[in-house]
Structure formats: structure tokens, C-alpha cells
Amino acid sequence: MLAIRLIAEPDRLDVLVLPVRAADSAELVPTAVTPLDGTADEAAALVPAARLTGRAGEIHTQVRPGRTPGRMLLLGVGDGDEAAWRTAGAALARAAMDETHITIALPVEVTPAAVRGFTEGLLLAPYRFRLTEAGTAPTLDSVDLLLADPTAFETTVATARTTAAMTRLARDLTNTPSSVKNPQWFADQVAAAAADVPDLRLRVRGPAELAAEGFGGILAVGGGSASGPRLVELDWHPADARTHVVLVGKGITFDTGGISIKPVPAMKLMRKDMAGAAAVVAATLGAAELRLPVRITTLAPLAENMVSGAAFRPGDVIRHYGGTTSETTNSDAEGRLVLADALAYAVQQLKPDLLVDLATLTGANAVALGKRTGALYSENDQLAADVLAAAEAAGESAWRMPLHNDYAEYLGSEIADLYSAPAQGAGSVLAALYLREFTGELRDRWLHLDMSAPSWADGDHAEVSRGATGWGVRWLLRWLASVD
């Protein structure tokens, strides 16, 4: 990952970046460290000459043969808030990919939030997932941030670096093809990442333990695959924790739809169906690295939903952890079955203060909210507001959706406690209502995020790179840092 230095005096000026803000007319921002003689005047004259607007991410390159610096970049930072600086950092990282080193003069009154956003943009935008080095494009190696007091921002940059590293981990896990990625492989990746981390404990249940303890949903969904299911339980328990949060992430490592088989175009990207598990695991690892004073137990129910003689069928009745039964109406609605087991286990055995799940659950998420926004469901106004605020600060979009109780009647089955996937009503809402049935006494402290749409990007956008986005890691770390 990109090397970032915080310095007060430049010692290498190949490329100098100066910020330009948007105002009534764009203007050069006074920087904490004065550029070389004449550079600031030249840049100020270039702003109107180049017709710059100062919008976040706008870049103008000035070549200066035989002078120092040899190239000067004018970088639009919009109104200077964190989101604008994140966009600027992402644009700069992409524009400077052919460079090896750049120096950025930051404003006199730059805030920690702006530095965090800028650093995250720099670190996340260049991400690419490839299983071969052939044809790999060059990337920027190192960046110097010029600041009047570099030590004042060391913690901020360290937090941004951890956040970006964990987001990239979630992207890697999600992008990995399912020819490599199965439930045991995912569990092994978690074990390797968690090894030797103080106060972090891992338990992985295999098929025999899942059967002995009654995790019928996970076993049913994973029953059709030669790669058996797993349940990862990762516990971060610092001594100073006062609040216990359980995070649950859907971990379907490949989804054929089962007997209710998907069409080929819909199946092609189903390696991403474990993005919720990737997000909650990466956020927990990040919380441990940052030593956040909150206990986090993460549950990642992992299964492959495959077609075989052992696959579960539409019409089967599944007995979940704790005894609640579901009549399966559609084997392609498998994610809620594994989540139901994990939620019930969390409520009955872990008894947390707060319960949050993330899942690539329904295509209806994208129909309702488009490609970049997650659907948030909760009956707890404060919890919903706190998560939405964290998501906005992190640059990850979410929108609160209604839990219509008049749809709950559609969950009724004649032969079981619940239908798993009724055909009536709104798909994303009904999926949330189904999960709510497994939250028990934590119903008023539970939050569900349907992240099917924002978990994957078809192209680059600001700090998001095409492919898996790692959506959820950034807001989770912000929110977990604020939990009291």
C-alpha cells in the first residue's frame, strides 16, 4: 500500500500539489508550508488562466521543464470538507499513477477530518484485484504531506491507514473467485489475519459441530456443496469494553440459487455474496488494530449454495438454531436462512447490547435505491441515526427504509413457523421482517443493512474502484469508535 510521510519541510520536490478551493471564483488555498519562491504566485495566476472551478477532484497539471518542481498539480478540494478531500485524494491517486513520488502542501487550517478523508482517498482509489502480475499498471509509490505540525496528525493518518487496509482486505476477500474461495478457505483467511492479535479470539465450527448445536439453516444451505459450511465466531474483547456489539455478516461464498437456479448472467458475480461477512470480519480486525474500547463478537455463517442431490428443496422445512422453523419457498433466498441461525444464536447465547447484520440480501435493494446505497432497517431511531451519521461521514451511502408490519402476515406458513421468502409485498422489506423474527428480546436494539447494491461497483467512482467495494467497513469502524 502507498507509503505516506508527514513532514514539515520538503526534501524531494519532483511533483508539487497545491490545493484550490471552490468559491465565488476558484482560489488557491494558503498552505501550512510556503512553497518555493515564485511557485505560489505562478499557481495563483494559473487558476483563472486554466479556468479552474475548484470542484473536488478537479486537476490541472503544469509542466515546468528545468525547474523545481518539474511538475505542479493544482488540485480542486471543493468546499474543503472531509468528503471533498476524500474525492480529491482519490482523483489525485489516479491522476498521478505514473509518478513515483508526489508532495502535497496542505492548507494552514486543515482539519483532522480533511486529512483522514484525503488519506483514505489516496489509499483506496488505486486498488485493483488481479491474480496475475502481467499487465499490472504502474502505481504511485509514496506521498509526502506537508504540514506545519506533522505530529498532530499522526493518529489521524494511522486511523485512515487501518481503515483503508481493512477495506482493501474486504475487497480482496470478496473479489477472490469461488474456484479458490469456499467456506474453509474464508475461515483460514480469518485465522491467518487474527493470529497473535491480543484480546482477539477465534472459533470455527464445522459441519459436525453445526449439526450437534442445531444450526439447521447453515447446514441446509451448505448441504448441496462438496465444500461443507462453517460458522466463524471472532471475538474482540478488550479489558476496558463497556458495550458488547454483535456483528453478523452473510457469507455465501458462491450462490447458484440452488434448485431455484439463477440464470447465468445473474450467477456470474455470485462470488460477491459473502461481502457482508467480509465487511464485518475486516471491521473487527480493524477495531482490534485500533484498540477500540468496545467488545465485538462477529459471526460469519459461511456456505456454498450449490445444486446437487443433497441440496435443500423449495418446500422443505428447516429447523433453525433455537427451534424456530422455516418453510423454504425459494432456495435462492438462502442468505436469510444462514443469518437466521446466527441471529438466534447471538440473542440466546451471546446476549449483546446491540445486534447489527450486513448482507447482500436482495436484488430489491438496487431496485429501490440504485447501485450505491444500502437499505437500512431498524426500529431503534437512535441506533439508525447513529449508523446513518457514521455512513455519511465515511462516504458510504445508506437510506432508512420502513418495516411495514402489515407485510408480516405474509410470513405465515401452514406447516412451519415462517415462510422464508413470500412472493407478496416488497422484497427487501420482507427479508428484513423475516430476520426480525429471530432477534427476540433484541428486536429494539437490532439493525439490518441490505448491502447487495453497494457491495459491487461496475466502474471507478471517487475512492471506490470497480469490483468489490468493501462497503460497510468504513462506516462500521466509525460507528464502533463512537459506541459508548
Side-chain angles (χ1 to χ4, degrees):
M1 199 160 58
L2 179 68
I4 297 177
R5 289 196 307 165
L6 307 181
I7 59 175
E9 294 292 337
D11 55 14
R12 182 180 174 186
L13 275 178
D14 307 314
V15 181
L16 176 64
V17 181
L18 297 174
V20 177
R21 66 180 160 220
D24 293 335
S25 59
E27 58 187 15
L28 200 66
V29 181
T31 55
V33 179
T34 305
L36 297 178
D37 290 345
T39 306
D41 291 340
E42 180 182 347
L46 277 171
V47 171
R51 299 180 181 176
L52 299 183
T53 65
R55 64 172 176 79
E58 179 183 51
I59 294 177
H60 175 79
T61 302
Q62 182 72 10
V63 180
R64 310 171 79 242
R67 293 187 285 171
T68 301
R71 280 180 296 286
M72 183 166 59
L73 274 60
L74 303 185
L75 175 65
V77 296
D79 61 4
D81 66 4
E82 181 176 357
W85 274 100
R86 188 182 299 112
T87 298
L92 180 61
R94 291 198 177 99
M97 287 181 74
D98 290 335
E99 307 292 346
T100 57
H101 176 272
I102 59 176
T103 301
I104 302 134
L106 291 175
V108 174
E109 298 181 355
V110 69
T111 64
V115 172
R116 177 171 182 172
F118 186 61
T119 303
E120 288 181 4
L122 281 172
L123 295 172
L124 289 172
Y127 173 89
R128 286 291 180 270
F129 181 83
R130 290 180 62 84
L131 293 177
T132 174
E133 295 300 319
T136 300
T139 57
L140 183 64
D141 291 328
S142 60
V143 170
D144 288 345
L145 304 185
L146 282 177
L147 295 152
D149 182 8
T151 59
F153 295 91
E154 288 175 352
T155 300
T156 297
V157 170
T159 299
R161 179 172 285 280
T162 296
T163 301
M166 293 304 121
T167 302
R168 291 169 71 106
L169 172 62
R171 290 177 181 181
D172 283 346
L173 292 170
T174 307
N175 277 321
T176 298
S178 296
S179 55
V180 174
K181 177 174 59 188
N182 60 32
Q184 183 59 56
W185 178 92
F186 187 103
D188 289 344
Q189 304 310 300
V190 179
D196 302 322
V197 178
D199 302 316
L200 191 62
R201 290 173 291 276
L202 173 66
R203 179 181 179 185
V204 179
R205 292 173 174 87
E209 291 173 285
L210 293 171
E213 296 182 43
F215 289 92
I218 299 173
L219 288 166
V221 175
S225 173
S227 299
R230 300 288 188 274
L231 175 61
V232 165
E233 183 172 344
L234 184 64
D235 188 46
W236 161 244
H237 196 171
D240 56 347
R242 291 186 296 174
T243 302
H244 184 195
V245 177
V246 168
L247 304 177
V248 180
K250 174 185 170 185
I252 304 301
T253 57
F254 191 75
D255 182 18
T256 66
I259 289 176
S260 308
I261 197 163
K262 295 178 183 287
V264 172
M267 202 186 301
K268 182 179 177 183
L269 289 179
M270 281 299 101
R271 67 180 182 272
K272 80 178 182 70
D273 213 16
M274 37 58 66
V280 295
V281 164
T284 305
L285 292 167
E289 183 170 329
L290 295 170
R291 308 293 301 176
L292 298 184
V294 56
R295 183 182 177 190
I296 305 163
T297 304
T298 282
L299 301 173
L302 305 167
E304 279 190 336
N305 188 24
M306 301 294 282
V307 181
S308 77
F312 76 105
R313 296 159 291 258
D316 283 359
V317 173
I318 292 168
R319 186 173 298 277
H320 294 280
Y321 187 93
T324 299
T325 56
S326 292
E327 181 183 353
T328 65
T329 50
N330 179 350
S331 69
D332 194 22
E334 82 300 327
R336 64 198 69 184
L337 301 178
V338 302
L339 290 171
D341 275 6
L343 291 170
Y345 169 74
V347 172
Q348 295 173 41
Q349 300 299 328
L350 302 178
K351 302 186 183 303
D353 300 298
L354 298 169
L355 178 62
V356 174
D357 74 82
L358 277 71
T360 52
L361 207 58
T362 71
N365 169 205
V367 173
L369 297 174
K371 297 285 285 183
R372 297 176 184 169
T373 302
L376 183 152
Y377 297 89
S378 182
E379 295 180 346
N380 186 314
D381 292 341
Q382 188 60 58
L383 178 58
D386 290 346
V387 167
L388 287 170
E392 183 178 7
E396 294 186 312
S397 178
W399 190 263
R400 190 177 183 186
M401 300 286 282
L403 279 164
H404 287 306
N405 283 319
D406 29 344
Y407 288 165
E409 65 182 274
Y410 300 142
L411 295 172
S413 165
E414 293 182 359
I415 61 173
D417 294 310
L418 300 166
Y419 269 135
S420 63
Q424 310 99 312
S428 183
V429 178
L430 271 167
L433 288 169
Y434 172 82
L435 294 179
R436 190 181 69 177
E437 294 296 315
F438 295 87
T439 60
E441 62 187 26
L442 285 170
R443 173 172 163 168
D444 64 346
R445 288 171 283 157
W446 160 74
L447 183 141
H448 161 62
L449 262 157
D450 189 338
M451 54 177 282
S452 182
S455 68
W456 193 267
D458 296 327
D460 296 339
H461 173 72
E463 73 278 5
V464 172
S465 298
R466 65 181 179 271
T469 63
W471 191 93
V473 176
R474 290 188 282 149
W475 75 253
L476 275 169
L477 286 173
R478 301 249 182 171
W479 174 66
L480 289 166
S482 70
V483 170
D484 187 2

